[in-house]
Amino acid sequence: MTKSNERNEIGWNIDTSYARLSHSFFTEQEPNPVESPKMIILNSSLAQSLGLNIGSLHSEGAVSVFAGNAKIEETMPLAQAYAGHQFGHFNMLGDGRALLLGEQITPKGERVDLQLKGSGRTKYSRGGDGRAALGPMLREYIMSEAMHALGIPTTRSLAVVATGEHIIRETELPGAILTRVASSHLRVGTFEYAANFTTIEQLKELADYAINRHYPEIEADENKYLSLLNKVISRQAELITRWQLVGFIHGVMNTDNVTISGETIDYGPCAFMNEYDPATVFSSIDVQGRYAYGNQPKIGGWNLARFAEALIPLLNENEEKALELAQEAVLEYPKMYHANWLTGMRAKLGLFTEEEQDEVLINNLLEMMKNHHADYTNTFRALANEKLEDTNIHLFRTSEFTTWHNKWQERLSKQEESLTSSYEWMKKSNPAVIPRNHLVEEALEAAVENDNYRVMENLLEVLSNPYKDSAESIYCSLPPESFGPYRTYCGT
Ligand code: AMP
Ligand code: MG
């Protein structure tokens, strides 16, 4: 392995605070170099915000860092240890195909992890080759950047580099490495690992690290570990509400995929819902629908209960008291979620004020949408259109809907704010474009099969401004019948 960028033209400003934790939290690991790395896509605006020099990022030195062929200055990459409940079952996991390069300190003084995904096997790889295919890495790039543009906390995608090697899945596929940026990769599963496989001192060390990194404002609290629990609960309640409001289905809400920062992480089997139906599932392995759209809020609570359990030794010396504190905290989650959801739904319907009957109004609409197979995104967006008859939404032509619409209009007319301001607000609360599954697949196919990146670039451009009506209606189109049922996959 060679060292790159001796003179640091690239703009690395790296610290390695995670590597200063006890050794049980990670394993140092040289990435396995790849044959012929080639930059496929680089996120210039993200790079700029990180303080990196865009002009130097296509250089051989930079590309070899993104490929795992060179280290950044004196740093040593590492694989993080973590455990997690996968579909309800506890397992020891850890980065099986990812490596933390270090933490970039941005010009604003923020600290973010730079992580390679698809960089080869590690000590924590169970099965699997430690590699990733180009299609899925581009898919993570598209999905995570779309989420960011929607205003939803998420890990970001900095670059995708093709490795020039093939990997074996069902067929041979071109390999690639994604460089992921996250406010950290600390997960509920990191705490489960600490609680189950390290000492109480190390659990405390991890909790202190998480507080210092994400919630320094609670440092002086009387019971800072309880405050940490409360913070994570509230961030996750906020995050999952935002998913629900845009129809995002994560697909694999295992506890190792739940961040302490409250960012969305792990874009394997995720997808956006078209027709509104709480039972919607895309992931090929989620046969029971554990992570179906409508179950996400409840699963969020289940995952937070696992976080609370992991923290018990720190919450109080008396175990019974600690359990009581943990339970009390976790019970706040459904209330927070419900309040957030109501607030968000009111915004989607242009309701500035709060009335008791609002929830019934909202649920009646959702019920009708489900019965009439109405598209979630387009229906909400169209409601902000003064001429509903101009839209092609079948639901709007039913008598049931007319009754509902009258009630909604009556409710809007009771507000001080004008109808126009309600509609304006709705346009800011209901995206016009989401990464539609068939469009994402089309973009990936053009890229991977035909080496044509234009389709993806155009899609990314539209997705970067999701609250703006797109000039091209194709971006709001529903999948053609020939697209069939959509399936997504983990570990691709
Ligand atoms: P995920 O479904 O991405 O949350 O991954 C669950 C676990 O499987 C993590 O420990 C991953 O690092 C590991 N993993 C996923 N894909 C691979 C792969 N191709 N090779 C090795 N480990 C993998
Ligand atoms: Mg994961």
Side-chain angles (χ1 to χ4, degrees):
M1 184 164 292
T2 55
K3 253 193 257 162
S4 78
N5 51 281
E6 300 288 3
R7 285 171 22 242
N8 193 13
E9 284 156 4
I10 295 169
W12 304 122
N13 185 17
I14 300 287
D15 187 28
T16 53
S17 68
Y18 190 87
R20 294 194 286 274
L21 288 176
S22 293
H23 251 84
S24 45
F25 288 111
F26 60 90
T27 303
E28 291 183 332
Q29 160 90 50
E30 303 264 358
N32 307 309
V34 298
E35 215 165 279
S36 45
K38 182 180 154 214
M39 180 74 84
I40 295 288
I41 184 164
L42 173 72
N43 191 334
S44 305
S45 63
L46 175 60
Q48 202 155 23
S49 72
L50 297 177
L52 301 176
N53 305 320
I54 298 156
S56 304
L57 287 174
H58 287 276
S59 66
E60 209 186 313
V63 175
S64 57
V65 167
F66 295 136
N69 285 12
K71 293 186 267 193
I72 305 175
E73 297 163 351
E74 306 301 322
T75 60
M76 179 56 117
L78 58 88
Q80 291 180 316
Y82 53 84
H85 279 83
Q86 298 181 298
F87 289 88
H89 303 284
F90 186 68
N91 281 313
M92 175 60 204
L93 299 163
D95 288 332
R97 58 163 171 174
L99 284 177
L100 179 66
L101 296 181
E103 300 135 28
Q104 172 81 357
I105 311 298
T106 73
K108 282 189 182 161
E110 285 158 354
R111 175 184 298 268
V112 294
D113 278 4
L114 299 180
Q115 194 206 53
L116 300 182
K117 181 167 173 179
S119 44
R121 286 181 61 80
T122 72
K123 183 184 141 187
Y124 307 108
S125 306
R126 294 176 296 169
D129 54 4
R131 291 295 182 191
L134 177 59
M137 293 306 96
L138 293 175
R139 191 168 186 278
E140 170 151 352
Y141 189 107
I142 298 170
M143 300 305 280
S144 62
E145 288 308 298
M147 290 290 271
H148 173 71
L150 284 163
I152 300 173
T154 177
T155 61
R156 304 283 308 273
S157 295
L158 178 62
V160 174
V161 167
T163 58
E165 295 173 2
H166 278 84
I167 65 166
I168 312 287
R169 292 294 181 260
E170 267 173 25
T171 53
E172 273 204 351
L173 297 171
I177 296 175
L178 170 79
T179 303
R180 177 157 81 179
V181 178
S183 73
S184 87
H185 285 84
L186 298 176
R187 315 137 192 268
V188 166
T190 321
F191 283 82
E192 291 180 287
Y193 167 78
N196 284 281
F197 302 116
T198 73
T199 61
I200 290 189
E201 287 67 39
Q202 289 182 5
L203 175 65
K204 192 177 265 182
E205 183 190 2
L206 179 68
D208 287 335
Y209 179 79
I211 291 170
N212 180 266
R213 189 150 173 189
H214 295 293
Y215 305 106
E217 67 277 15
I218 63 172
E219 199 94 54
D221 285 8
E222 203 179 308
N223 186 343
K224 61 178 170 175
Y225 304 116
L226 181 60
S227 300
L228 173 64
L229 176 58
N230 289 331
K231 285 279 184 188
V232 175
I233 289 173
S234 114
R235 288 275 177 102
Q236 284 293 330
E238 177 72 19
L239 179 68
I240 295 170
T241 307
R242 283 161 174 257
W243 291 355
Q244 298 306 101
L245 293 173
V246 298
F248 173 79
I249 301 168
H250 182 279
V252 63
M253 288 175 70
N254 296 334
T255 55
D256 54 299
N257 295 332
V258 178
T259 57
I260 298 307
S261 65
E263 288 179 346
T264 310
I265 195 173
D266 220 313
Y267 284 90
C270 69
F272 279 71
M273 169 170 71
N274 290 321
E275 286 176 12
Y276 173 75
D277 185 350
T280 310
V281 172
F282 293 109
S283 169
S284 62
I285 56 169
D286 191 4
V287 282
Q288 312 268 352
R290 178 182 169 92
Y291 300 141
Y293 171 76
N295 284 345
Q296 294 190 129
K298 191 181 70 191
I299 288 292
W302 192 90
N303 288 340
L304 289 164
R306 305 289 79 75
F307 182 51
E309 272 168 17
L311 287 179
I312 284 199
L314 306 183
L315 295 178
N316 197 287
E317 280 170 16
N318 175 328
E319 199 180 322
E320 222 165 283
K321 179 72 190 152
L323 259 168
E324 214 174 279
L325 290 172
Q327 254 157 9
E328 228 170 79
V330 171
L331 281 175
E332 285 305 303
Y333 166 81
K335 298 182 214 162
M336 278 181 202
Y337 169 76
H338 184 247
N340 292 345
W341 179 81
L342 259 183
T343 304
M345 276 293 171
R346 284 195 174 104
K348 283 174 88 71
L349 289 178
L351 306 180
F352 290 99
T353 53
E354 293 179 10
E355 281 191 21
E356 186 136 353
Q357 283 301 303
D358 292 347
E359 192 164 358
V360 176
L361 190 74
I362 296 161
N363 282 327
N364 284 348
L365 172 65
L366 292 173
E367 186 66 25
M368 280 187 296
M369 284 168 62
K370 177 172 178 285
N371 295 339
H372 291 272
H373 305 283
D375 182 76
Y376 185 70
T377 305
N378 289 358
T379 304
F380 273 104
R381 183 74 182 186
L383 284 174
N385 190 327
E386 275 170 67
K387 288 193 182 144
L388 288 189
E389 57 277 15
D390 289 353
T391 66
N392 60 358
I393 292 172
H394 159 74
L395 170 67
F396 293 169
R397 283 183 271 286
T398 64
S399 60
E400 216 186 327
F401 177 79
T402 309
T403 312
W404 180 87
H405 189 257
N406 291 340
K407 276 191 202 154
W408 176 50
Q409 288 293 313
E410 198 183 309
R411 169 71 178 83
L412 288 174
S413 69
K414 283 198 275 181
Q415 304 189 126
E416 252 175 47
E417 292 82 357
S418 67
L419 206 51
T420 318
S421 36
S422 276
Y423 287 157
E424 269 169 23
W425 193 32
M426 286 174 72
K427 286 193 169 163
K428 288 182 187 140
S429 314
N430 294 297
V433 283
I434 50 162
R436 296 270 177 193
N437 304 322
H438 63 295
L439 298 177
V440 171
E441 291 304 317
E442 193 180 284
L444 295 179
E445 193 180 314
V448 178
E449 309 286 333
N450 303 324
D451 204 24
N452 167 8
Y453 285 87
R454 279 300 292 276
V455 188
M456 186 172 92
E457 282 160 13
N458 293 341
L459 178 62
L460 283 169
E461 176 66 31
V462 175
L463 291 173
S464 72
N465 221 337
Y467 294 97
K468 193 178 129 205
D469 284 311
S470 168
E472 286 176 79
S473 60
I474 181 190
Y475 292 107
C476 307
S477 67
L478 304 184
E481 213 143 287
S482 60
F483 187 66
Y486 191 51
R487 279 280 154 267
T488 56
Y489 303 92
C490 295
T492 46

